[in-house]
Amino acid sequence: MTQQSYDVVEVVAMQLISSDASVVPVSTELSFRTSDPYTVRAVFTGPQTMSTWLLGRELLVQGLLAVADDPAGTGDVQVWRDDDPEFALISLSGVEGSALLAAPTEQLEAFLARTEELVPLGEESDRMESEISALIAALLTA
């Protein structure tokens, strides 16, 4: 199976906020495929490490409207607007620990707007139907 390229890619300069409130710059590549319209791939690259997460596109959209007392997401990923409207906060929790990242709201909104131009929110299943049919057809002819 060949690796399909991404339809929308944006590199966002985020900040990792540590428990002592110090900040570490993190370059984050956000990627979106129309063939997988529910998902945003995020590759976080810091000075010493790299980590890849799959985030729900709708979760990111909802997070831009959420507040700290009621963040979007209930699992390993939560997103909400910071007190400073120029930033959204993304909380990641996994087996290796947790991280809190501050992301420029304007860049996130621009990335999500570009994904919505290709696959509007609420129309993901329509897009997936043809992809699933194509996959089934390919499996049956293999």
Side-chain angles (χ1 to χ4, degrees), residues 3 13 18 61 65 67 71 74 77 88 95 99-101 104 109 112 114 118:
Q3 184 75 351
S18 66
V61 170
L65 303 172
V67 294
T74 58
V77 179
V95 294
L100 180 62
L101 296 136
E109 288 172 338
L112 292 168
R114 289 174 51 210
L118 297 175

Side-chain angles (χ1 to χ4, degrees), residues 85-101:
E86 292 185 22
F87 290 94
L89 297 176
I90 302 172
S91 173
L92 306 172
S93 300
V95 294
E96 295 181 7
S98 59
L100 180 62
L101 296 136

Side-chain angles (χ1 to χ4, degrees), residues 52-141:
T52 301
W53 284 70
L54 298 179
L55 310 173
R57 180 172 70 141
E58 187 174 4
L59 172 68
L60 291 174
V61 170
Q62 291 172 350
L64 291 176
L65 303 172
V67 294
D69 293 340
D70 190 20
T74 58
D76 294 344
V77 179
Q78 293 186 320
V79 182
W80 66 95
R81 287 301 277 269
D82 188 26
D83 292 336
D84 178 348
E86 292 185 22
F87 290 94
L89 297 176
I90 302 172
S91 173
L92 306 172
S93 300
V95 294
E96 295 181 7
S98 59
L100 180 62
L101 296 136
T105 304
E106 187 175 307
Q107 284 184 286
L108 283 180
E109 288 172 338
F111 171 79
L112 292 168
R114 289 174 51 210
T115 70
E116 287 187 60
E117 288 173 7
L118 297 175
V119 181
L121 285 172
E123 295 183 17
E124 296 92 347
S125 62
D126 296 340
R127 177 64 186 196
M128 293 300 294
E129 188 175 317
S130 63
E131 295 292 328
I132 292 170
S133 295
L135 176 61
I136 291 170
L139 290 172
L140 292 175
T141 60

Side-chain angles (χ1 to χ4, degrees), residues 12-28 44-49 99-103:
V12 178
M14 295 189 187
Q15 299 172 339
L16 175 66
I17 303 168
S18 66
S19 58
D20 66 359
S22 61
V23 174
V24 176
V26 174
S27 176
T28 305
F44 302 99
T45 305
Q48 311 258 335
T49 188
L100 180 62
L101 296 136

